[in-house]
Structure formats: C-alpha cells, structure tokens
Amino acid sequence: MLVPAVTGCLLAVVLILAGTPVGGALVHGAGTGLLGMVFVAVAALAAQVFPVRSVATGAAVAVLGVTLLLRMIGDGVPRLGGIRRLSPFGLTALSGPFVHNRGLPLLILLAASAAITAVAVALAGRREVRGGLVPAGAGRRPRLALLGAVEAFAVRRVLRPLTGWAIGIGAYYLLIGLTSVSVTEFLADNPAMAGQAAEAGFDGLGAVAGFAAVLFALLAVPAGGFTAVRMGAYVTAETDRRLVLLTAAPISRARLLGAEVAVTMAAATLLVTIAGLVTWSGVTMAGGELGLAAALAGAWNTLPIVGLSLGAAVFAVGWAPRWVGVVGALPATGGFLLLVVAESVSAPGWVRGLSPFAHLAAVPLTAADWPATAMMAVLAGFLTAGGVAGYRRRDLRS
C-alpha cells in the first residue's frame, strides 16, 4: 500500500511544482495512488484465497483486465456509461482532475481499498501457512478423453490455448462492436482525421461497415499468429520428447503433422467466427447497423491470410524448425506492416502488392475478391504440402 500511496503523493507534488492548478493536481495524484492501492488489496485477497502463486496472480490480473474493459466500454458506449462506476479505472476518470475535481469517486475508491484489505486480513487468519481458502488438490483423476486417436489428441492439445485466445480476441472485438457507432460518428464529423487514416490504408472508417471491414482485416494478424504459435508448440513438443510414443507408433509422419494442421486451421476458423459474432453483437447493442451475415463474411474474409500463415509455419516445421514462429508470422504480421509502411511512404505498387493484405477486399463494405482468395488458398496449400514433405524426410529434433 505504501508504494502506490507515495507514488500518488509524489505525482501531485510534481504537478503542483510544474504550475498546474493545486486542486486538479491533488485529485489526479490521489486517484492514481488509490487506484494502485485497490489492486494491491485485490492481489492480497487473491493470495489468501488461492494457495498457488500463479493462480493468485492470474486471478488478480483477470480482475484488472475486466475492470479496465468495463472502463473502456463505458467510455465508448454512451448508453452503457453507467458501468464505469463498477470499475476503479472508471471511478478515477469520473473524479475529473483539472475539470470537475470530484471527491466522491475518490472516497469510493478509498472505501473499496479499505474493505478489500480488511477482508484479506480477516481471511489471512483463517488459512494455513502456505495454504489458501481454496485447498490445493492432492491429485486428480486421470483424464483420458480424446486420447483414442492422433486427430483427437490434436484436438485435446489445442483446447486450452484456444480458450485463452478466444477470450482475448472475443473481448477485443466485442469492444470494437460496442464502440463502432461512436467512433464512426466521430470520424464522420472529423474528415481531416478520416483522410489521414485513409492515406495510411484505413479507408471507409466513416461508416460502420467500413469500420468493421478495417478491423476485420486486422483480425488476420492475431489469428495468423495463433497458427504460428501452435506449430511452434508442436515443434517444442517434439524437441521435449513429448511426441516420442506417437512417433514410435505405426503412424505416418504425414498423418501426425496433418492432424495438427487440420485442427489448428479449424481452431483458427473458430477464432475468426467468434470475432464476427461478438462484433455483430456489440454493434447491435450500440444501435448500429451491421447484419450477422455481413459480420461473419468480414471475419471469414481473413481466412486466406490465416491459411498463408499456417502454410508458412508448416513449411518451416519441415525445413527450418528453429524458425517456425518467425516464418509463420511473415504473411500476417509482416504483410500487415509492409502494407502500412508502403501506404505511408507511397511506395511503388509492386512493393504494396507483396503484402497479402493488399489483395484483401474490404468485406463487408465491398464484395470479396474471389480470384485473390483462391490464389492465396492455393499458395497456402503448396506451402503446407512442402512442409509435410520436408517433415517426412528430416530427423526428429531432440
């Protein structure tokens, strides 16, 4: 508690010495310090509840992330502005330093910090040393689900990371949907800013469909990164000898890698589908106009680039296993950065054309570019086939 309190005081002193209004400086410093104190109290409470540090840390970080998301939704969606009062970040903003200088939100933060700290102290006397209120499991029953086939085992391996990626991507695109109306209205009222965005390659932001099209194009970056990470995890499992029993069984290399590739692509498709669904939900709740079919079409429009990332990663699995992450990220992350730089510096058309994003239609604002989609799908297929061929020929890593 001492560190955030001192930080807030020092911040207020520095602002006062810099010549800012005293009232605003005190409110800003107090809000910053109290915000830190609240999350120190949350971390202390989590440490009493959970016996394992990693679980307690994860719970505290989850609270921080959820409350920050509530603040962002409340700021971006006027109709849901009231939920900011449920977030420490929102209460800090409602104090309005240098504008309103309200004290009530700060008093609520102080009361919340004191209450959570009191609960944590009370619980500390009720648990065993090195333990928590939630007892640590002495063991667990064998989990035999999805162990009957190579394909089922690939599904089992992807479920946990897929859940984490789905939560992250889903939360982000839900926020995008909720803020779409306010953002597009702001850009429609500020054509100069919209023009600057168009020069950087982000055109059509003045309409919900155009805004969704731009953000759906960005979806290829995390979804493509997911495929590269999964292929990297496959190589890591091979290096750590966790695939020894599988490779020693009468199972072909092609089937082993093919199952991983198929499941990874299916999981990536599920990720982009979730993004489309939650974006549509957010736009609908915000009062915007974006049909479900249009939202799904915009999300699925990124699958060719996702497939290219997967194909590049599989190619690296077969021929350069140490570089799977880098090679797999080139089509999505590298392609997006190349397009932005090319648009910003007015590079020649052939340089821009090297990026897969240059051939991605602005769906749902426009129709899909099916010839470009087919070409990227064919290239992804060739990369995948080449990677499987290389994997069949090389030695296993150890």
Side-chain angles (χ1 to χ4, degrees), residues 1 65 68 75 99 128 131 139-140 161 167 194 200 221 262 302 316 338 360 383 396:
M1 291 292 185
L68 179 59
D75 287 343
V99 179
E128 298 289 342
R140 64 185 182 186
I167 292 173
V221 176
T302 63
L338 175 61
L360 199 66
L383 288 171
L396 295 176

Side-chain angles (χ1 to χ4, degrees), residues 117-379:
T117 301
V119 172
V121 172
L123 294 180
R126 298 171 59 88
R127 68 176 180 87
E128 298 289 342
V129 177
R130 296 182 179 274
L133 293 182
V134 177
R140 64 185 182 186
R141 299 176 59 183
R143 296 180 297 169
L144 305 179
L146 300 175
L147 292 178
V150 172
E151 294 76 13
F153 183 58
V155 172
R156 175 185 170 118
R157 281 167 40 82
V158 82
L159 287 179
R160 182 174 294 181
L162 174 62
T163 301
W165 282 78
I167 292 173
I169 291 177
Y172 177 77
Y173 276 89
L174 176 61
L175 179 63
I176 291 301
L178 290 169
T179 58
S180 59
V181 174
S182 59
V183 171
T184 52
E185 289 177 350
F186 171 78
L187 291 173
D189 295 336
N190 295 270
M193 184 172 294
Q196 293 177 352
E199 291 178 1
F202 303 104
D203 200 3
L205 293 179
V208 172
F211 180 72
V214 170
L215 272 298
F216 280 141
L218 298 179
L219 176 61
V221 176
F226 169 80
T227 63
V229 169
R230 290 312 304 156
M231 288 297 101
Y234 179 82
V235 173
T236 299
E238 175 189 327
T239 304
D240 294 343
R241 301 185 179 183
R242 285 179 276 137
L243 299 180
V244 170
L245 293 179
L246 282 177
T247 54
I251 300 171
S252 68
R253 294 271 194 96
R255 181 185 174 189
L256 189 60
L257 181 57
E260 196 74 22
V261 172
V263 169
T264 298
M265 189 63 204
T269 303
L270 180 59
L271 282 178
V272 300
T273 301
I274 290 172
L277 289 173
V278 299
T279 301
W280 167 76
S281 300
V283 172
T284 302
M285 286 188 287
E289 296 183 0
L290 181 66
L292 176 58
L296 291 176
W300 291 337
N301 186 53
T302 63
L303 286 176
I305 298 180
V306 176
L308 277 177
S309 292
L310 177 58
V314 175
F315 188 84
V317 169
W319 299 97
R322 295 182 183 274
W323 298 93
V324 171
V326 175
V327 175
L330 285 177
T333 305
F336 176 73
L337 293 176
L338 175 61
L339 179 65
V340 172
V341 173
E343 293 282 0
S344 301
V345 302
S346 300
W350 68 267
V351 175
R352 182 180 181 277
L354 294 175
S355 170
F357 289 87
H359 310 284
L360 199 66
V363 181
L365 188 62
T366 62
D369 188 344
W370 293 112
T373 297
M375 184 61 68
M376 285 190 278
V378 170
L379 180 56

Side-chain angles (χ1 to χ4, degrees), residues 23-50:
L26 292 176
V27 170
H28 184 58
T32 302
L34 288 170
L35 184 66
M37 293 170 64
V38 166
F39 286 108
V40 168
V42 169
L45 178 60
Q48 311 313 312
V49 175
F50 301 104

Side-chain angles (χ1 to χ4, degrees), residues 69-75 80-87 90:
L69 181 62
L70 291 175
R71 155 76 189 277
M72 295 170 68
I73 294 174
D75 287 343
L80 301 177
I83 66 175
R84 289 182 297 176
R85 297 180 177 86
L86 303 177
S87 166

